[in-house]
């Protein structure tokens, strides 16, 4: 049973930084996609960033390019999202997700098989 747990959310002032962690367990896949999504009330989940484990390729939404960095620590089975220069519009619940398949774009929520419970990020202006 794959289990994903996010941590590191919180409240910061605009321009500040946060690092989200996604701790993963219960899987044996050697190649897969780990994605970060965010969601605000009344809106669909938006793909923020992803990293393909096995090829170490990273992907970013245009809205976060140059500000967010996705990385992983294979020893810790963790994936991180370093968020710098945060803006009020980054306020959302952030989720990590794991995809074992393909066929859809990295930012397509339907591609992902497993999801964490989410962590709140609030950026004050």
């Amino acid at each position: 049973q794959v289990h994903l747990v996010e941590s590191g959310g919180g409240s910061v002032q605009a321009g500040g930084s946060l690092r989200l962690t996604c701790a993963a367990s219960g899987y044996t896949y050697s190649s897969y996609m780990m994605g970060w999504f965010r969601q605000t009330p009344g809106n669909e989940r938006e793909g923020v960033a992803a990293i393909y484990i096995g090829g170490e390729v990273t992907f970013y939404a245009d809205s976060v390019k140059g500000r967010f960095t996705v990385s992983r620590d294979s020893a810790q089975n963790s994936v991180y999202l370093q968020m710098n220069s945060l803006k009020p519009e980054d306020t959302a619940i952030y989720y990590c997700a794991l995809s074992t398949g393909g066929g859809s774009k990295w930012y397509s929520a339907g591609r992902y098989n497993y999801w964490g419970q989410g962590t709140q990020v609030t950026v004050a202006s």
Side-chain angles (χ1 to χ4, degrees):
Q1 179 77 16
V2 176
H3 194 48
L4 305 175
V5 179
E6 302 96 336
S7 60
S11 298
V12 295
Q13 293 292 116
S17 298
L18 285 172
R19 189 176 84 153
L20 304 184
T21 299
C22 176
S25 61
Y27 63 94
T28 57
Y29 315 111
S30 59
S31 61
Y32 51 94
M33 186 82 80
M34 288 292 295
W36 284 99
F37 287 75
R38 64 188 180 188
Q39 188 171 27
T40 53
N43 294 304
E44 294 184 355
R45 289 186 185 184
E46 172 194 17
V48 175
I51 181 166
Y52 181 69
I53 309 299
E56 306 308 311
V57 181
T58 57
F59 306 88
Y60 297 95
D62 287 344
S63 59
V64 306
K65 273 181 186 175
R67 300 189 298 123
F68 290 12
T69 302
V70 60
S71 62
R72 72 148 180 160
D73 182 336
S74 58
Q76 298 293 326
N77 284 341
S78 295
V79 173
Y80 307 101
L81 185 67
Q82 178 67 43
M83 306 186 295
N84 299 328
S85 302
L86 282 161
K87 305 175 181 180
E89 51 264 43
D90 294 318
T91 295
I93 299 175
Y94 283 71
Y95 300 88
C96 68
L98 187 153
S99 167
T100 59
S104 300
K105 299 292 186 183
W106 69 267
Y107 48 80
S108 173
R111 171 190 179 132
Y112 294 81
N113 315 77
Y114 305 98
W115 292 84
Q117 82 290 349
T119 185
Q120 176 71 48
V121 171
T122 302
V123 184
S125 58

